[in-house]
Each structure stands twice: as C-alpha cells, then as structure tokens.
Amino acid sequence: MSGSKIDSSASETVTINQLAHLLYKPHWHIPLPPSKKIKMEVNSRYITIKTHIEGAPKESDFELKNAALALSIEAGSNDVIVKTVYVSIDPYQINRMKSYSSSHKAIVGAARITPGEAIDGHGVAKVVVSGNPEFQKDELVVGSISWGEYKLVKGGGGLRKLDPMGFPLSYHAGIFGYSGLTAYSGFFEICKPRKGEKVFVSGASGSVGNLVGQFAKLFGCYVVGSAGNNEKVAVLKEKLGFDDAFNYKEELDLKATLGRYFPDGIDIYFDNVGGEMLEAAVANMNLFGRVAACGVISEYTNASKRAAPNMLDVVYKRIKIQGFLLPDHLNLYADFISTISDHLRNGKIQSLEDISNGVESIPSAFIGLFQGDNIGKKIVCVAQD
C-alpha cells in the first residue's frame, strides 16, 4: 500500500475514502442466499378428543395439543391460513364424537370426528396468509374454521368475507350464524305459524330456543318456554318477553304442567330436547298441530331417554312432526339477515350470548351445554381481533 491507495487482487484500486463510503453507505444491503431466508411459523394450539365419546362428555375426553404451522402457502395454491377470533360451540357436535351415530352419513357437516385431529366448527376468523384472490390478508371471514387458534383452509372452502354491518363480531358466530337461521327457518318454514296461535318452546333459553320465542312473540303468538333453572325462567319472561315460562326440573308431571300452561292446547311445539318433553307436548297438542324437531339434546348423551309419543294422538289429531337441518334452508339467508338486522337495530330482538375466553376453555364450554350452564348462545373468544 502506498499513499492513499489500496491494491486489489482483482487489479482494481479504490481510495481509502471511497472504501469507507462504501462500507458505511446508508441503506447498504447484502441479500441473504435463498436457503438462508427466515421461514415464519406459529405454534397453533387446538382441541381434540382422545377417543370417541359415549355418554356425557367430560374434561378427560379432551386434549389441548400444539402444532407448528408455517405461515406460507405453496406457489399456485388457493389455500388460506386463518386465525380464529370467535368459534361457535354447538351441542350437535357430541354426535360427531361418537364411534357411531346415524347422523354421521346424513350430511358432510355431521361426519364422525377422528380422535387426535382438530375439530372443525363455525366461527369468525382473520386471514393471515392467502393464496386465494378472493381473500386478502387481514380480512375478516366467517365459516368453517376450527376449535383451534389457526387453520389452513384448503382452497378457502367454506369461508366467505365478513361484513360486520356495525354489529359485534361475536354476533356472526351466533345470532347471524347457525343458531339464528335455524330458529328463523324452523319457526317460519316448518311450523308455518298463524297469528294468535299458542307456541311452546323447550330449551327456550338456549341459542335457538330463545330466538324462536322472540320471533313468535313478534309474529303475534302466545309463547311459553321451558328452561332448567329459575334464573333462565326470569330471563325468558323479563328480558325476552315470553308470555310465561317454567322450570321443568321443578315439575313432576310434564303432561299436567303443559295442560296448566296451555288450557286450550298447543298449536306449535318447537322441540330442542326430545324425550319426555316431546311426549308431554304431543299429549297436549291441538288438531293439526305442528312439531319442529330441531334437536334432541336429552337423548344425545342418554339413549334411554328416547321419546315415545302417543302415536294415536299423532294420527287422530293429524299432528305433523318434521325434522329439519339448516342446509335445507340456506335460500332464506338473505331474508333472515335483513329481518334480524332490522329487529336488532330497533331493539325488537335481544341477542343472548354466553362467551368464554381462550382456546383452552373450549372443552368446559362444550361440556357445559349438557349441564345447562349457558344462557343463550355459547361462544368462545379465541383471540381478540
């Protein structure tokens, strides 16, 4: 080296000042080789069942698992990775957890759950990564997600963009979701109500029952609901406007009880529980009565409680008993959303929500459905938006 010059092995020379400028140049960037790029991933916690469940669910039936999930999508893929915000907790899932149920082959959404795998469910999520042009990062979506913190959704199937419409996000996992449309379609399409008719709703403080009662009252019917404790009875009468309600656990003779609340008979029975309550309702129904068989929660965990209504009553009173599933009535969704949105804004309908927090609370939230713990729609907030 001589003077202010540096000799290079490549026969190039630069001054010391030039070298310093290059070394300390602002925004100087040396790209990493492709193999050295950092791959982002998250630790996703999710709930699964350890084995198939027969009978009432308990905490030991469930397990909180962890899995690393790469936050990347293969080139050319339409897949979407979402982060769960709210997930709906629904009693029908217990049938999917059984080793066998006649419901397993009825529709895709009732398919049996495999122990060890994440459980899918309806809810609200945020897009984290997307290879699908229909969904952009940070957009809110609603649809089939999971009982977990993240989910890779193949092709974005079962998701749609969510417009909150100015309502809390939890509403879209509850009243705007499965529960609301089930209540709406079951009451108006299956029951075909007429003003002034007498309506009985079992499981009336649950996610579907409370809405059926409210719809019936707005329509101009006389409405009585049954629930499992006095606090729920008070909510039905004082907050939701039911004409009357009773605690079925305090009644020794359900047929006599319904005869007392409906001295002129029942025109419509919206059945969420099955069992003895269905038998009692049929015994008290009027000619051409209608029964919407929405759920049979009393039988889900105890097959010995299967209903045996008096079929002579069904025949000679010409009673219609019809089961139904939500996918049969998706054509009503637009009308439902328009109607329920207006009712909520005008204060004519109340949204009852029972929200727990954290993915780890999902098992207890689910178990509580079969113990009568919830008032209204059971939802778990997995992450804040």
Side-chain angles (χ1 to χ4, degrees):
M1 183 172 79
S2 63
S4 61
K5 300 283 186 180
I6 295 180
D7 290 321
S8 167
S9 60
S11 301
E12 294 178 7
T13 60
V14 294
T15 66
I16 291 176
N17 289 337
Q18 288 173 327
L19 181 60
H21 176 71
L22 289 172
L23 290 175
Y24 300 105
K25 181 179 179 180
H27 312 300
W28 177 257
H29 174 68
I30 302 176
L32 291 171
S35 62
K36 297 296 185 181
K37 288 184 178 178
I38 298 173
K39 192 174 185 179
M40 295 292 293
E41 65 177 32
V42 291
N43 180 52
S44 180
R45 297 183 299 161
Y46 64 95
I47 298 296
T48 185
I49 53 173
K50 296 177 182 178
T51 186
H52 286 122
I53 300 173
E54 312 300 336
K58 52 189 182 298
E59 287 281 353
S60 59
D61 291 323
F62 300 91
E63 184 177 3
L64 178 63
K65 285 191 168 185
N66 293 270
L69 176 65
L71 296 182
S72 62
I73 299 293
E74 292 184 9
S77 167
N78 282 332
D79 296 347
V80 179
I81 297 175
V82 298
K83 181 179 182 180
T84 303
V85 180
Y86 288 101
V87 66
S88 170
I89 307 298
D90 302 290
Y92 80 90
Q93 296 270 41
I94 192 64
N95 296 316
R96 301 184 62 209
M97 297 174 186
K98 297 175 182 179
S99 58
Y100 171 79
S101 171
S102 59
S103 63
H104 288 164
K105 295 183 179 180
I107 58 172
V108 173
R112 183 175 61 182
I113 293 169
T114 301
E117 294 185 357
I119 299 167
D120 56 292
H122 180 79
V124 175
K126 176 177 280 190
V127 175
V128 178
V129 181
S130 176
N132 191 316
E134 294 185 16
F135 303 103
Q136 305 300 315
K137 186 179 184 299
D138 293 330
E139 282 185 334
L140 290 169
V141 292
V142 63
S144 181
I145 52 174
S146 77
W147 283 13
E149 294 176 316
Y150 293 86
K151 182 180 181 181
L152 172 63
V153 183
K154 292 291 186 181
L159 298 177
R160 62 178 175 81
K161 290 184 180 181
L162 172 60
D163 175 7
M165 301 183 294
F167 293 101
L169 290 183
S170 58
Y171 280 26
H172 298 274
I175 194 168
F176 289 135
Y178 288 174
S179 300
L181 185 55
T182 296
Y184 186 84
S185 60
F187 182 65
F188 290 106
E189 286 296 297
I190 304 301
C191 298
K192 301 290 186 185
R194 293 184 288 271
K195 292 185 186 302
E197 287 194 310
K198 299 166 185 64
V199 178
F200 173 50
V201 184
S202 60
S205 66
S207 62
V208 175
N210 88 84
L211 292 173
V212 171
Q214 293 185 76
F215 287 144
K217 280 301 300 176
L218 281 175
F219 192 75
C221 296
Y222 174 81
V223 185
V224 175
S226 65
N229 62 47
N230 292 330
E231 179 187 1
K232 294 178 180 181
V233 168
V235 168
L236 295 178
K237 293 195 293 186
E238 298 168 13
K239 183 173 183 177
L240 303 186
F242 280 53
D243 291 290
D244 217 329
F246 63 90
N247 180 351
Y248 70 88
K249 292 181 180 179
E250 294 181 344
E251 303 294 337
L252 299 178
D253 185 338
L254 290 176
K255 289 181 183 179
T257 299
L258 289 180
R260 188 168 71 249
Y261 282 93
F262 293 96
D264 297 320
I266 300 168
D267 298 304
I268 291 172
Y269 172 41
F270 199 98
D271 186 18
N272 290 303
V273 302
E276 294 176 351
M277 194 69 80
L278 174 58
E279 296 173 8
V282 166
N284 282 278
M285 294 198 79
N286 291 325
L287 296 179
F288 301 104
R290 287 88 74 204
V291 177
C294 178
V296 284
I297 194 168
S298 70
E299 301 179 23
Y300 290 165
T301 57
N302 188 346
S304 68
K305 291 188 176 182
R306 286 179 180 160
N310 187 328
M311 294 308 295
L312 279 177
D313 280 343
V314 174
V315 173
Y316 282 92
K317 292 181 182 179
R318 285 85 92 198
I319 296 170
K320 181 180 80 170
I321 301 177
Q322 183 174 341
F324 70 102
L325 295 174
L326 181 63
D328 302 334
H329 303 285
L330 294 178
N331 61 303
L332 299 176
Y333 187 71
D335 288 340
F336 159 68
I337 287 295
S338 175
T339 300
I340 196 72
S341 298
D342 287 344
H343 287 336
L344 285 167
R345 290 190 177 99
N346 296 331
K348 294 180 179 179
I349 289 281
Q350 303 295 318
S351 176
L352 284 186
E353 295 182 326
D354 190 328
I355 301 178
S356 300
N357 293 293
V359 68
E360 66 279 357
S361 73
I362 290 177
S364 60
F366 181 69
I367 292 165
L369 294 177
F370 303 93
Q371 299 174 343
D373 293 347
N374 62 299
I375 299 180
K377 177 62 190 174
K378 188 62 193 181
I379 300 169
V380 170
C381 176
V382 176
Q384 296 292 335
D385 172 37

